[in-house]
Amino acid sequence: MEDGSIQHTNPRTVEDIFKDYKARHAGLLKALTSEVEAFYQSCDPDKDNLCLYGYPNGKWEVNLPAEEIPPELPEPALGINFARDGMQRQDWLSLVAVHSDAWILSVAYYFGARLDKTERKQLFNLINDLPTLFDIVTGRRALKEKSSANNSSKNKGKPDPLSQGLPIAKETDNDSEDDEDDDEHSEATCGSCGKKYTADEFWICCDSCERWFHGKCVKVTPARAEHLKQYKCPSCSKRART
């Protein structure tokens, strides 16, 4: 990884700040997904307090925090390496993702301190159109929907778009396309509360009755779903015991 000292930028316009945000987001995403093994090994709990940095060139680095007080930019969460071996790996990555989301958002609004009300709203909307790192790491929303044989109605996390007639999530900066996706929501409903499917909530499918449920309704979190080989809803589990 590159030395953070050469990564300093000073974007001032909404477009430049968002470009900086996307690049840092991309770098952090690599650390938490495609380059996760290298990231994991970099977070040795025996080392001092370490931070995960994302840089405006799309790269990431695990390093010590800035020495100057106050630092030139807001700093990432400190000591992520200490929690590494005290949690389930997926839970730890999810925790790092949450703090990384908060960090790059704080950096963006640090750069945007001089923006006016309209520009701040524009910046927020651009950022909000991207899935968060937490969304991607936990599977709540994919960066790109992959069409493959494994993408069946039994996938954990949310109803399969093809089998349920739901919109396929796509990365786009076009608001009109997002609106079209919202209009295409199917009549899929939660088997517990009866409410309709929404793409911003975590869903899970019962492997027995094949009904879909809000994770919160059946008390299943995204992290827990990652470790389930088979899921049975409360009704099916009760029938199996009787």
Side-chain angles (χ1 to χ4, degrees), residues 159-226:
D160 173 68
L162 299 180
S163 65
Q164 298 288 333
L166 302 174
I168 295 177
K170 295 180 181 178
E171 182 186 17
T172 177
D173 293 331
N174 191 322
D175 290 340
S176 63
E177 290 183 14
D178 289 339
D179 292 341
E180 288 175 6
D181 281 350
D182 291 339
D183 293 339
E184 294 172 5
H185 283 157
S186 76
E187 297 301 315
T189 57
C190 173
S192 178
C193 69
K195 292 183 180 180
K196 292 183 180 180
Y197 167 81
T198 55
D200 60 348
E201 295 182 285
F202 174 75
W203 285 63
I204 190 167
C205 179
C206 174
D207 289 298
S208 182
C209 66
E210 298 189 353
R211 290 186 299 167
W212 287 94
F213 299 86
H214 287 107
K216 62 183 180 182
C217 289
V218 291
K219 298 181 180 180
V220 177
T221 63
R224 182 185 171 195
E226 289 286 335

Side-chain angles (χ1 to χ4, degrees), residues 3-11 20 24 55-56 68 72-73 111:
D3 184 350
S5 64
I6 65 173
Q7 300 299 326
H8 295 165
T9 60
N10 190 25
D20 182 274
R24 293 178 190 273
Y55 294 130
E68 66 268 20
E72 181 176 346
L73 292 177
F111 288 137

